[in-house]
Amino acid sequence: MVFSSLIYIFAFLPALLVCYFGLARRRGVRNGILLAFSLLFYSWGGWSLMPLLLASIGLNFFLGSRVAPDKPRRKVFLVLAVTCNLALLFVFKYLGFATTILSKFIPAVVPVEIVLPIGISFYTFQGLSYVLDVYMGNAAPSRKLSEVALYIALFPQLVAGPIVRYTTVCEELSTRKETLDDVFFGVQRFCFGLAKKVLIANQAGALADAVFSQNPVMMSTALAWLGVIAYTFQIYFDFSGYSDMAIGLGRVFGFHFLENFNYPYISKSITEFWRRWHMSLGTWFRDYLYLPLGGNRVSAWKHVRNILVVWMLTGLWHGAAWTFILWGLYYGLLLLGEKFLWGKAIARTPAVVQHVYTLLAVLLGWLVFRAAGVDEVLRFLQGMFGGAPAGLWSEQVTYLLLQYRWELLVACVLSCPVVPTLLARCEKNGGKTAAAVLYVVMPLLALVLAGWSCVRLVSSGFNPFIYFQF
């Protein structure tokens, strides 16, 4: 089940709201209802996936209770927790990739094909977050299995993030209070996220798919650039839209998740870009891997090692393929370059040059991320930089630009902080106009966009979520 589906919007969510707010008042009962609906949400894709999620919950609950600062042999249990979680992730996500590689060198090895459980990367990292936060003394171990289960399985962020840290919600699991203001904000945030996903990301995705599925002989330079730009918009509005919906749903039920995106495409460096993109993943790797390795408080060579290790694993986290590893190392090298080589020189250039440099690097990164293999990366690079078989321009480019002109224009505008800037000015000026914008115009706009999104969902069958595959 996905947020941007009619069965979710008109059946699952209304039923949950009625049961949660209409049938229960006690915190324990409401948590039980939310947990039951979360497990139903996850099992919608197949009950066969449920045992793995439940095993992850039970494992982390038990081992989390054994790694608190006052527990004996807690390091042993920490190693056991990390090993078991990563082993589950390896078997279900990377074993097929590893056996395929080994089979090329050892004929006796037969490649294994295993169905990737939805959201396994996200809930594995959340389970580890619980154990590691308890071990480091940042949170007390929960005495209730149901609370740990709700933390890991909470449906707004279960299958595609953001990665919610246990320290962020540990108190809210038992003491949160739902308010009308939170419900008002949450519903509005959900509607805007739904619109970003359905009205922008899906259209950009259709355009990107049309280009990437193109016969190589028909590829022109402009078409190659258009395909990569379309995917750049697709992945941002797809994932940030999902994060908006998750954050909004969390607020409806009294949870305050941290932001996951902060207009990354306005960045002036790759370093800044990764402070703005998928922030929950970046901080997870920083706090649980980069800093324990020594961070930047080590020798220069170890610092280089730490960055490359973190970014290779960041790429591998996204998927079991050489392109993801290449993508992670690509960003690791760019960050090292900014740290030790050209960073200061770039910072002295005009802002427009910094933006162009960053966007070009990001576009090339998304090409690697989207491509089916290294061959496709090389083919697109050749096409983008003047070696396209069909020349610089083609009639198909004109046709696609006209067909998707409004979606591309809106995507360009909303990739920049235009709306929050205008809202901030309204709030600063105050008065009746500001109140009308904040409490009338914006909610009405959210409802109109949500309605438009539902109409689009009825008429279109194209509705993937990119990060579901991770």
Side-chain angles (χ1 to χ4, degrees), residues 253-272:
F253 299 107
F255 293 98
H256 294 75
F257 301 155
L258 300 180
E259 294 295 331
N260 206 26
F261 289 88
N262 184 22
Y263 296 96
Y265 292 159
I266 68 170
S267 301
K268 297 180 182 179
S269 67
I270 296 301
T271 302
E272 182 185 356

Side-chain angles (χ1 to χ4, degrees), residues 22-335:
L23 303 181
R25 291 291 184 270
R26 294 175 57 188
R27 174 61 49 219
V29 178
R30 284 188 169 181
N31 280 356
I33 291 172
L34 196 53
L35 176 59
F37 273 83
S38 295
L39 295 177
L40 174 62
F41 178 88
Y42 186 74
S43 65
W44 198 261
W47 287 97
S48 60
L49 303 176
M50 187 61 67
L52 184 62
L53 173 62
L54 296 177
S56 177
I57 292 170
L59 173 75
N60 287 297
F61 172 73
F62 170 72
L63 294 176
S65 67
R66 308 302 304 172
V67 300
D70 61 338
K71 297 293 183 179
R73 301 189 301 277
R74 67 193 197 101
K75 288 186 178 180
V76 174
F77 287 101
L78 174 68
V79 171
L80 183 61
V82 173
T83 302
C84 290
N85 276 285
L86 295 184
L88 284 175
L89 194 59
F90 175 81
V91 169
F92 287 93
K93 189 168 184 176
Y94 303 107
L95 184 60
F97 180 57
T99 53
T100 299
I101 296 173
L102 288 174
S103 66
K104 296 179 180 180
F105 301 97
I106 306 174
V109 175
V110 179
V112 176
E113 293 185 7
I114 300 177
V115 176
L116 179 65
I118 296 175
I120 187 171
S121 296
F122 288 96
Y123 68 70
T124 298
F125 268 32
Q126 293 209 172
L128 275 173
S129 169
Y130 168 69
V131 175
L132 292 170
D133 282 339
V134 172
Y135 177 81
M136 292 185 292
N138 297 328
S142 176
R143 295 182 179 181
K144 296 181 179 180
L145 174 60
S146 59
E147 287 189 356
V148 175
L150 182 58
Y151 160 65
I152 294 176
L154 189 59
F155 80 93
Q157 42 73 38
L158 174 59
V159 295
I163 301 171
V164 178
R165 302 277 286 275
Y166 183 67
T167 51
T168 302
V169 297
C170 58
E171 293 185 3
E172 291 181 334
L173 288 168
S174 57
T175 62
R176 69 186 184 279
K177 293 183 179 180
E178 302 85 349
T179 65
L180 287 177
D181 285 343
D182 279 344
V183 172
F184 178 82
F185 170 87
V187 171
Q188 184 173 296
R189 184 73 179 266
F190 178 87
C191 291
F192 283 129
L194 179 66
K196 287 169 70 173
K197 162 61 183 165
V198 177
L199 302 180
I200 302 178
N202 283 2
Q203 306 311 306
L207 173 55
D209 286 355
V211 175
F212 276 85
S213 62
Q214 182 70 43
N215 187 325
V217 177
M218 304 299 293
M219 184 68 69
S220 65
T221 296
L223 188 63
W225 279 99
L226 181 60
V228 176
I229 291 171
Y231 184 72
T232 298
F233 285 136
Q234 180 194 6
I235 194 167
Y236 170 63
F237 285 100
D238 185 283
F239 195 18
S240 69
Y242 190 97
S243 293
D244 286 341
M245 288 187 276
I247 292 169
L249 288 168
R251 286 288 287 272
V252 169
F253 299 107
F255 293 98
H256 294 75
F257 301 155
L258 300 180
E259 294 295 331
N260 206 26
F261 289 88
N262 184 22
Y263 296 96
Y265 292 159
I266 68 170
S267 301
K268 297 180 182 179
S269 67
I270 296 301
T271 302
E272 182 185 356
F273 173 79
W274 278 104
R275 289 172 182 160
R276 293 173 174 270
W277 178 277
H278 202 346
M279 294 184 286
S280 62
L281 179 67
T283 56
W284 198 100
F285 272 107
R286 180 197 67 195
D287 294 345
Y288 298 133
L289 182 60
Y290 179 69
L291 293 179
L293 285 174
N296 59 2
R297 297 183 177 182
V298 290
S299 64
W301 286 112
K302 286 186 177 180
H303 189 197
V304 170
R305 177 207 64 186
N306 292 347
I307 290 176
L308 290 178
V309 167
V310 167
W311 282 97
M312 183 187 72
L313 293 177
T314 299
L316 195 60
W317 178 88
H318 284 84
W322 288 114
T323 49
F324 290 120
I325 297 174
L326 179 62
W327 176 78
L329 291 175
Y330 166 79
Y331 273 111
L333 292 173
L334 283 177
L335 291 167

Side-chain angles (χ1 to χ4, degrees), residues 436-447:
V437 170
L438 294 174
Y439 297 105
V440 179
V441 176
M442 293 302 290
L444 285 177
L445 179 60
L447 290 176

